[in-house]
Amino acid sequence: MNTVNQTTGMKVDMNESWEQKLIKTFEKEKNKEIKVSVNFNCRSNKKADIQYTDMNGINWFIEAKSFKSPDKYNGVHKIFGELLKMSKFAENSENAHLGILVDDEDFFKKHLKMCNTEKLLRFGQIFKNGITVFISSEKKLTEKTWTELIN
């Protein structure tokens, strides 16, 4: 069953997951920056949810987590495992950058504050190029470093 999203004007599959909707919004927003599209689907176990090469030659590996889904509390915890999984995908890729795409920065930060700040900061440092956090709202897509998000 399809319907049209009144905000974006895009067709929406009512059976899509919240993450897939988030991914489609990200892809539309970043479209001009994508040189080679590899994956824009949250149903792949062999690739990151979002995987592409941008115009600067950066190979992006991004995990999408929606905090609108019923599984939102577990989603915060899943991000850590997903980042580790993506680092395995990215290790054979030149100029690889890891990212997280979320749709509710306040919810995410609130739950991260329950963790030890120093340990969270060190977690971000285990990745060669750090972690970029993409925050998608109906108004815009913003980017922060892992450190900016934690502090």
Side-chain angles (χ1 to χ4, degrees), residues 21 28 32 37 44 49 70 73 77 81 92 113 118-119 137 146:
K21 292 174 187 175
K28 182 179 177 189
K32 291 180 180 74
S37 176
S44 175
D49 288 347
Y73 297 103
H77 303 288
N92 294 327
K113 289 208 180 290
E118 185 179 318
K119 289 180 182 178
S137 69
W146 180 254

Side-chain angles (χ1 to χ4, degrees), residues 64-122:
K65 285 293 175 210
S66 172
F67 300 123
K68 294 179 182 174
S69 72
D71 192 33
K72 63 185 174 185
Y73 297 103
N74 197 27
V76 174
H77 303 288
K78 284 182 177 180
I79 285 173
F80 297 98
E82 296 293 343
L83 281 165
L84 293 170
K85 177 181 83 173
M86 285 190 307
S87 70
K88 183 71 174 162
F89 298 153
E91 72 184 13
N92 294 327
S93 177
E94 287 297 314
N95 204 14
H97 287 247
L98 301 183
I100 305 166
L101 171 63
V102 298
D103 56 6
D104 189 336
E105 178 182 7
D106 293 334
F107 180 87
F108 190 39
K109 285 175 81 167
K110 175 184 171 187
H111 287 85
L112 287 177
K113 289 208 180 290
M114 295 177 191
C115 301
N116 180 290
T117 301
E118 185 179 318
K119 289 180 182 178
L120 287 173
L121 291 170
R122 280 188 293 182

Side-chain angles (χ1 to χ4, degrees), residues 1 10 12 19 26 31 34 41 45 51 56 64 67 74 100 108 124 127 134 136 139 142-144:
M1 179 176 159
M10 295 174 59
V12 178
E19 280 80 16
F26 178 90
N31 190 36
I34 298 170
N41 188 333
N45 289 328
Q51 200 169 318
N56 297 318
F67 300 123
N74 197 27
I100 305 166
F108 190 39
F127 304 102
F134 297 92
S136 178
K139 297 176 185 154
T142 57
E143 295 179 28
K144 292 186 175 186

Side-chain angles (χ1 to χ4, degrees), residues 37-51:
S37 176
V38 178
N39 188 50
F40 280 86
N41 188 333
C42 62
R43 291 178 174 36
S44 175
N45 289 328
K46 297 185 183 199
K47 293 185 171 116
D49 288 347
I50 299 170
Q51 200 169 318

Side-chain angles (χ1 to χ4, degrees), residues 16-25 27 40-43 49 64:
E16 278 184 323
S17 70
W18 286 104
E19 280 80 16
Q20 192 59 49
K21 292 174 187 175
L22 186 58
I23 290 167
K24 281 187 174 182
T25 301
E27 184 178 20
F40 280 86
N41 188 333
C42 62
R43 291 178 174 36
D49 288 347

